[in-house]
Amino acid sequence: MALKLSMTCGPYDRARALIDGSVKPDGVELEITVNDDDVDRQLRSARGEFDVCEFFAGTYIADLPFKKLGFTAIPIYVKRMFRHSYIYTNRTSAIRAPADLNGKRVGVQTWITTAALWAKGILEEDYGVDLASITWVAWQPVRIPDWKPPEWLKLEYAPAGSEQFDLLAAGAVDAGITTEIWAPGRHPDIGFLFPDYAAQERAYFQRTCSFPIMHMLLIRNSVLECNPWVARSLYDAWEASKRKLYERQEWERIHMTSLWYRALWEEERAAAGDDIYVWGFKKSRHELEIMLRYAHRQALTPRLYTPEELFWPSMLDT
């Protein structure tokens, strides 16, 4: 008899075959809740409503010293995104280059938001931004009870009921890092820190071979302890679902309702190979090292963790 488990994730094309049932994990009967609201999905998952969940990598990493979540990751990176295009500025703040952020006020959703984790790490290491010189204005507190901000961090909280976008438009903050789309065309005073973000993202990938990891797949510890084979079953099923997507995209290469899809498809494969959305531990170890280094430098963790410490042990051979 199949083991019944509940899972929640977003409505991604790479998860489509799992969602529609054309791919099923061996030995597991999945009840899938599709939820496109990242915050709601995260909160419900943290409350333990699901056995398997798509979860913010930053929050998972910040919980490593405390182990309060009760879940362990497998190397399925449900969402990856470059974040150069999610750093916005108020044009009246005279920010023309990343180093101009030094000493300014910069908004974030939370200090540990994964998008901000990557953006801050890139700003610091690639562009010489001094994170300690900035006053960071957070829209929400860090929801890890035992986490404490470091002494060097100038962290404020936005006024209750305020919106990040409105604060930036009004000049209450000089810049903002978010997961939302604030440009182009939303407000005359809001623009990109990197107007050439596409070129910047390509250069970052070429230099680091890193496609930033945003969300991971977590499995409840009690499930893994009683049924350790579940980790491999779900890993294989997600991989199979992604492969079905690649087959679909091969057909869409010339049939997609789009102007430049074929050119973009071919450019991506030329840069990254046939598997552009890499999962598995061995092939992503270098990316995990970057993310964990960023996390430690930003005080999400009190020490530098190793990639091996993120995952259920049987997944380290993937």
Side-chain angles (χ1 to χ4, degrees):
M1 180 178 294
L3 178 66
K4 293 184 178 181
L5 297 176
S6 58
M7 183 177 79
T8 187
C9 66
Y12 308 113
D13 52 4
R14 50 201 170 273
R16 183 183 303 156
L18 277 166
I19 293 167
D20 68 21
S22 57
V23 166
K24 298 180 184 296
D26 289 342
V28 175
E29 180 181 333
L30 274 183
E31 178 184 347
I32 301 175
T33 298
V34 179
N35 187 346
D36 64 0
D37 186 325
D38 284 349
V39 174
D40 179 67
R41 186 177 60 245
Q42 164 112 349
L43 292 174
R44 293 179 64 187
S45 298
R47 290 197 297 265
E49 294 187 22
F50 306 97
D51 300 306
V52 185
C53 56
E54 173 192 352
F55 206 79
F56 297 164
T59 303
Y60 178 69
I61 290 170
D63 180 65
L64 288 174
F66 312 110
K67 300 289 187 180
K68 295 291 183 66
L69 286 173
F71 287 79
T72 299
I74 64 173
I76 293 294
Y77 313 121
V78 181
K79 180 185 286 187
R80 290 176 175 266
M81 290 188 75
F82 292 102
R83 290 303 187 182
H84 292 72
S85 63
Y86 290 84
I87 309 171
Y88 303 95
T89 65
N90 184 302
R91 293 190 173 101
T92 67
S93 297
I95 295 172
R96 301 293 179 264
D100 295 334
L101 294 171
N102 290 335
K104 297 295 197 298
R105 295 172 59 82
V106 179
V108 290
Q109 289 156 306
T110 77
W111 180 249
I112 65 171
T113 299
T114 318
L117 166 66
W118 281 94
K120 289 178 293 181
I122 289 167
L123 289 171
E124 180 183 42
E125 292 195 358
D126 293 359
Y127 301 96
V129 173
D130 180 5
L131 302 184
S133 76
I134 294 170
T135 298
W136 299 92
V137 182
W139 186 46
Q140 294 288 338
V142 172
R143 293 189 177 93
I144 296 179
D146 296 316
W147 182 85
K148 303 296 182 185
E151 291 184 1
W152 60 262
L153 176 59
K154 301 173 185 176
L155 183 62
E156 298 179 2
Y157 291 100
S162 63
E163 295 291 337
Q164 277 189 298
F165 179 87
D166 295 336
L167 293 176
L168 182 59
V173 294
D174 303 292
I177 301 171
T178 183
T179 56
E180 300 175 2
I181 297 174
W182 291 351
R186 286 284 307 278
H187 190 282
D189 289 337
I190 294 180
F192 296 107
L193 175 64
F194 299 108
D196 62 340
Y197 61 82
Q200 296 283 345
E201 291 168 354
R202 285 164 169 80
Y204 181 79
F205 182 78
Q206 290 171 355
R207 184 173 67 256
T208 66
C209 295
S210 178
F211 184 7
I213 295 164
M214 296 293 138
H215 298 176
M216 294 178 166
L217 193 72
L218 309 190
I219 304 174
R220 190 188 304 277
N221 289 339
S222 59
V223 171
L224 291 169
E225 289 161 2
C226 294
N227 306 277
W229 55 270
V230 165
R232 179 72 59 165
S233 175
L234 287 173
Y235 177 86
D236 290 344
W238 273 86
E239 275 282 357
S241 181
K242 182 181 67 173
R243 294 292 171 181
K244 287 183 74 71
L245 166 65
Y246 287 167
E247 293 172 7
R248 176 70 182 179
Q249 287 180 329
E250 176 70 40
W251 182 86
E252 290 175 339
R253 180 182 183 183
I254 58 173
H255 298 291
M256 172 70 74
T257 305
S258 171
L259 289 173
W260 315 121
Y261 181 77
R262 176 181 173 178
L264 290 171
W265 188 99
E266 293 177 358
E267 178 192 357
E268 289 179 354
R269 267 59 181 186
D274 291 337
D275 186 5
I276 63 169
Y277 222 87
V278 172
W279 294 334
F281 178 74
K282 294 178 180 178
K283 293 178 287 187
S284 63
R285 195 181 196 284
H286 64 289
E287 297 169 290
L288 299 165
E289 288 177 336
I290 293 171
M291 182 167 60
L292 290 169
R293 183 174 72 248
Y294 290 169
H296 179 50
R297 290 183 63 86
Q298 296 171 35
L300 272 68
T301 58
R303 66 172 176 85
L304 181 61
Y305 280 79
T306 66
E308 287 81 359
E309 294 176 276
L310 291 171
F311 301 109
W312 187 251
S314 67
M315 292 288 96
L316 300 183
D317 66 352
T318 56

